[in-house]
Amino acid sequence: MKTMSGFEMRAQFYPLVTDLERLKEEAAEGVPYPFLAEEMLELSPKDYRQFCSALGQRYAFETDIPKEGYDTVYGAFHCSLVTTVSEKEAILLTRVAGQMFGAYLPDKTLLDLTGVPKKQVALESCHNQEIRIGHPDAVR
């Protein structure tokens, strides 16, 4: 994946919280890291709105996200880009040490997604206990 402008894209990752607005707030204070979108997961507009309002839930498609999403050699996150066909915005998801992290991407059109595999997904509940959302010490 390359950016259209030739610049390295960066995003501010944060452990997944309850909803998109809180993710934007919390991540705003963070350090932007480079990232690489390994796949694009497309939700219906209705499912995407529901996903954004309930990031703290676990979904079946999250089991496909790479088990270790941080590349220590290059200092970059390997992510899944969650979006809809019609929206410009997207959420980047990655997993580090078994914990899910997210970053808000206001304009996915800045990315060159040529060759990035796309998959249509639905919001199905996940009951995989290995997927933790939020801070590891959070009680759920």
Side-chain angles (χ1 to χ4, degrees), residues 37 39-41 79-83 90-92 105 108 111 113:
E39 66 180 347
M40 187 170 10
L41 303 175
C79 307
S80 295
L81 183 76
V82 181
T83 189
I91 297 174
L92 296 163
L105 189 63
K108 70 181 179 202
L111 305 175
L113 297 169

Side-chain angles (χ1 to χ4, degrees), residues 21-136:
E21 291 308 313
R22 181 145 180 242
L23 179 64
K24 289 179 192 178
E25 283 176 24
E26 300 287 352
E29 301 297 320
V31 175
Y33 284 91
F35 65 88
L36 178 64
E38 298 285 342
E39 66 180 347
M40 187 170 10
L41 303 175
E42 292 182 339
L43 294 167
S44 70
K46 179 184 173 196
D47 281 355
Y48 183 75
R49 284 189 302 276
Q50 181 181 340
F51 175 68
C52 289
S53 67
L55 290 177
Q57 300 299 311
R58 291 195 305 252
Y59 300 102
F61 69 80
E62 293 172 352
T63 60
D64 295 333
I65 294 171
K67 297 232 183 301
E68 194 54 53
Y70 186 71
D71 185 331
T72 56
V73 174
Y74 296 103
F77 284 101
H78 291 261
C79 307
S80 295
L81 183 76
V82 181
T83 189
T84 70
V85 174
S86 58
E87 292 288 328
K88 284 176 68 174
E89 72 175 21
I91 297 174
L92 296 163
L93 291 180
T94 190
R95 192 179 327 183
V96 177
Q99 183 178 356
M100 296 293 294
F101 284 78
Y104 174 67
L105 189 63
D107 189 355
K108 70 181 179 202
T109 63
L110 296 174
L111 305 175
D112 178 0
L113 297 169
T114 307
V116 174
K118 293 180 188 178
K119 183 170 31 171
Q120 299 286 332
V121 294
L123 283 188
E124 298 172 9
S125 293
C126 175
H127 303 291
N128 184 344
Q129 295 303 316
E130 293 179 14
I131 297 177
R132 293 188 305 258
I133 305 298
H135 294 286

